[in-house]
Amino acid sequence: MLVTLVLAGAIAGTGPASAHPAVECAGLDQLKIPASVMSLPTTGGRVTSTSVKTSVLSGVTITYCQVEASISPVDPAAPEIKMRVALPHGWNRQAMMFGGGGYNGTIPDLTANVPFGPADQPVPLARRYAMFAGDSGHQQNPAVPPSLDGSFGTNDEALHNFAAGDALKKTRDASLFLIRHAYRAKPAEVYFAGGSTGGREGLVVAQRWPEAFDGVISAYPAWNNLSEALYLGYLTQILAQPGAFPGVEKQKLLYDSVINACDGLDGVRDNVISNERGCHFDPRTLRCPGGADTGPGCLSDAQVTAVTAMSTSFEWPYRIASGETGYPGFPFLSGADMRTPILGFGTTPPADPMPVTSGYGMQYWNQWVKHFLTRDPGHSAFAVDPRDPGRWRERISYLSTIQDRNNVDLRPFARAGGKLILLHGAADELVSHRSTSDYYQRVQQKLGAHSTGTFLRYYLVPGANHANVGAPAFAAGWDSLSALESWVRKGQAPVRPIVTDASHDRTRPLCEFPYWPRYRAGDPGTASSFACTR
């Protein structure tokens, strides 16, 4: 017996909308997705299963049709793109795509929130968005830590699906076909939201397909993917030197020392460094007498060198085709934040074979060398020096044209009416906020500050780390989705937004870069006690 799911609703803010025909959810099963509905080459796709689900999301009971589908490659040796669509009862006539993380390989949770989303507002599916996402064109090996399986990189089509973003457009086109088929109507607006790799994907879709999405939320984006990989490889080799790795106690020493030195620069001591650019900490103040490692209360000369490398720009002395020349490194605070050591230094030094207790970035580099660069799973990540890659230099240059397709000319996206909200935490320990600031400044240089402000907002959140993992100093939450909706649909740009710290019950003004929140007077837990300054 076919289960009938009635999908009807109104577009918020426009009054009642006409009801849509009832959709037989099970009747979507095995539906063919023609190759002709996708703008990039595939051999078509197919719905593989459907099911009716009921979930309580953000305190709201939502019934929706979950559709599993796959898109077939052109190259028979390439993996399929696995994708999922959630079609809610009472559809709001809007759709949203979620981006992935790391090397992807799994389908993002469609019941989740946008990156840095608020705890006190409904998630998109609870707002009755039609949700969709894909695995970017390969499936994670369960024997490898989640989001760290780069083995698909040995296949060209799979590499382009992930690194160039081809799978994003294919999944978007196929999902909109299914949404139109289910509701007999097109979405009024289509949005994209993602963080880390998903944040990079948000910038990719705005650059490559400026009319595909009406609005984008890009958080802590790893936008210059190859450039960061080279930096992580450089750091991997430094941390692997004898005695160079700072253990967990020394990482805490460094973190506490930076907090003690710089916390009050914003006018209040609250374990959040808001004036990060004013924080000038010299790790040599923690040097052990004589430079030898004498215990957890100091840093050896080798460890001082390692932590300095993490916080310093790395520039390679050769040209690559993307035109990128370096990666800016991290503030001392980020890599040393012991709340999430695996995202920074890790808990053990990198080695060959690479331990899962080493930093996430070191494991990412290891996978990149084996599967993207050399395409030899037996090749040691330590046999490639990012400073002098030798015979791998041309391959690096070629990969840069795929992984770092950094066209900051977003005028086509702006002309199409697109709006972009860019977010990053100033204590991010995996993707440097300095790199995102560089991206934003490049856009401004290309388009001009005024033109950029008509469609793009960039907010740097002091104390926030990568994806609110662990127990960050500031667990950022802001209703960026409502702000984006108002901007796209009503032309109302965000005005004086406020970000909440869910872990410490406090608020701060969300300041546009390069501004940061300075304490003035009053309750330090309230945003009104701060003013955005520079």
Side-chain angles (χ1 to χ4, degrees):
M1 182 176 67
L2 297 181
V3 181
T4 299
L5 177 62
V6 179
L7 301 163
I11 304 176
T14 62
S18 59
H20 297 285
V23 171
E24 295 176 340
C25 184
L28 297 172
D29 195 12
Q30 304 304 314
L31 178 69
K32 290 184 179 180
I33 304 172
S36 60
V37 305
M38 289 169 274
S39 66
L40 297 178
T42 72
T43 52
R46 180 184 295 275
V47 173
T48 56
S49 70
T50 61
S51 58
V52 176
K53 294 184 175 292
T54 299
S55 301
V56 178
L57 305 173
S58 308
V60 180
T61 301
I62 300 295
T63 300
Y64 59 98
C65 174
Q66 180 165 296
V67 180
E68 307 286 342
S70 61
I71 301 172
S72 300
V74 174
D75 176 7
E80 294 180 319
I81 300 171
K82 303 290 187 181
M83 52 174 283
R84 181 174 299 138
V85 183
L87 305 168
H89 172 84
W91 181 41
N92 70 358
R93 286 289 303 276
Q94 299 180 93
M96 172 169 284
M97 181 176 186
F98 274 166
Y103 282 116
N104 292 336
T106 58
I107 301 173
D109 180 5
L110 298 183
T111 68
N113 211 339
V114 300
F116 285 164
D120 61 348
Q121 295 295 323
V123 301
L125 185 55
R127 304 185 194 205
R128 292 177 171 79
Y129 270 79
M131 303 296 298
F132 61 95
D135 63 7
S136 83
H138 59 275
Q139 292 72 55
Q140 163 84 30
N141 180 349
V144 178
S147 73
L148 279 169
D149 178 12
S151 60
F152 65 92
T154 57
N155 179 275
D156 283 342
E157 187 170 347
L159 176 65
H160 279 78
N161 274 334
F162 167 79
D166 289 3
L168 301 171
K169 186 60 163 57
K170 297 172 186 177
T171 300
R172 181 261 187 202
D173 292 347
S175 296
L176 262 61
F177 168 80
L178 293 175
I179 291 170
R180 289 193 301 269
H181 189 90
Y183 293 114
R184 299 294 189 267
K186 298 190 300 182
E189 293 90 24
V190 184
Y191 298 97
F192 186 99
S196 196
T197 289
R200 174 178 67 84
E201 291 169 342
L203 299 181
V204 166
V205 297
Q207 293 163 3
R208 293 191 63 193
W209 304 286
E211 297 182 357
F213 293 90
D214 298 283
V216 172
I217 299 169
S218 172
Y220 33 94
W223 65 274
N224 46 357
N225 188 233
L226 178 136
S227 298
E228 184 173 8
L230 293 177
Y231 161 79
L232 292 169
Y234 162 68
L235 193 63
T236 297
Q237 298 194 340
I238 288 178
L239 290 172
Q241 296 299 311
F245 182 80
V248 292
E249 291 178 315
K250 291 177 183 280
Q251 293 177 43
K252 185 177 187 304
L253 168 69
L254 179 60
Y255 177 79
D256 291 343
S257 299
V258 175
I259 288 288
N260 290 335
C262 299
D263 185 12
L265 295 176
D266 53 11
V268 63
R269 286 197 168 270
D270 56 1
N271 291 319
V272 172
I273 298 175
S274 295
N275 184 14
E276 184 264 319
R277 291 188 301 280
C279 178
H280 304 291
F281 181 79
D282 187 349
R284 291 175 296 182
T285 61
L286 300 176
R287 182 176 183 265
C288 298
D293 192 344
T294 57
C298 60
L299 299 177
S300 70
D301 284 345
Q303 291 159 353
V304 168
T305 298
V307 300
T308 300
M310 178 169 247
S311 66
T312 304
S313 174
F314 168 57
E315 298 178 356
W316 39 89
Y318 49 90
R319 183 186 180 279
I320 59 176
S322 69
E324 296 299 309
T325 59
Y327 193 80
F330 293 78
F332 284 116
L333 180 65
S334 301
D337 191 343
M338 279 307 298
R339 293 173 176 84
T340 52
I342 201 64
L343 295 182
F345 286 108
T347 57
T348 59
D352 190 14
M354 191 67 68
V356 296
T357 47
S358 62
Y360 186 101
M362 290 87 231
Q363 297 180 64
Y364 194 96
W365 162 256
N366 182 59
Q367 290 285 310
W368 185 82
V369 168
K370 293 179 182 300
H371 304 299
F372 281 46
L373 183 63
T374 69
R375 290 184 158 176
D376 176 3
H379 201 286
S380 171
F382 292 92
V384 177
D385 185 350
R387 293 162 290 191
D388 183 15
R391 67 188 182 99
W392 300 112
R393 179 172 164 179
E394 289 304 315
R395 174 70 177 171
I396 288 172
S397 185
Y398 166 72
L399 287 172
S400 77
T401 66
I402 303 172
Q403 294 180 255
D404 288 357
R405 297 177 68 162
N406 307 323
N407 176 17
V408 296
D409 187 356
L410 294 176
R411 284 176 293 187
F413 180 69
R415 284 195 296 268
K419 308 299 181 187
L420 170 60
I421 291 177
L422 192 56
L423 296 161
H424 213 129
D428 194 310
E429 59 279 78
L430 185 58
V431 176
S432 176
H433 75 268
R434 295 172 177 172
S435 183
T436 300
S437 299
D438 176 45
Y439 176 89
Y440 175 70
Q441 290 166 332
R442 292 191 198 187
V443 175
Q444 284 192 319
Q445 290 166 4
K446 184 73 174 180
L447 277 65
H450 174 74
S451 295
T452 299
T454 63
F455 73 96
L456 169 59
R457 291 288 186 276
Y458 171 38
Y459 303 102
L460 188 61
V461 188
N465 73 345
H466 195 79
N468 283 338
V469 173
F474 194 97
W478 175 50
D479 190 4
S480 56
L481 179 52
S482 291
L484 186 62
E485 288 175 340
S486 294
W487 202 3
V488 168
R489 302 175 64 198
K490 303 176 184 178
Q492 298 174 353
V495 178
R496 294 186 294 277
I498 292 175
V499 62
T500 298
D501 177 3
S503 295
H504 302 94
D505 192 26
R506 57 186 173 181
T507 59
R508 292 284 188 274
L510 191 58
C511 301
E512 283 189 62
F513 180 85
Y515 290 84
W516 51 271
R518 179 189 287 277
Y519 177 71
R520 299 183 303 175
D523 180 4
T526 304
S528 59
S529 299
F530 294 77
C532 292
T533 188
R534 59 183 298 179

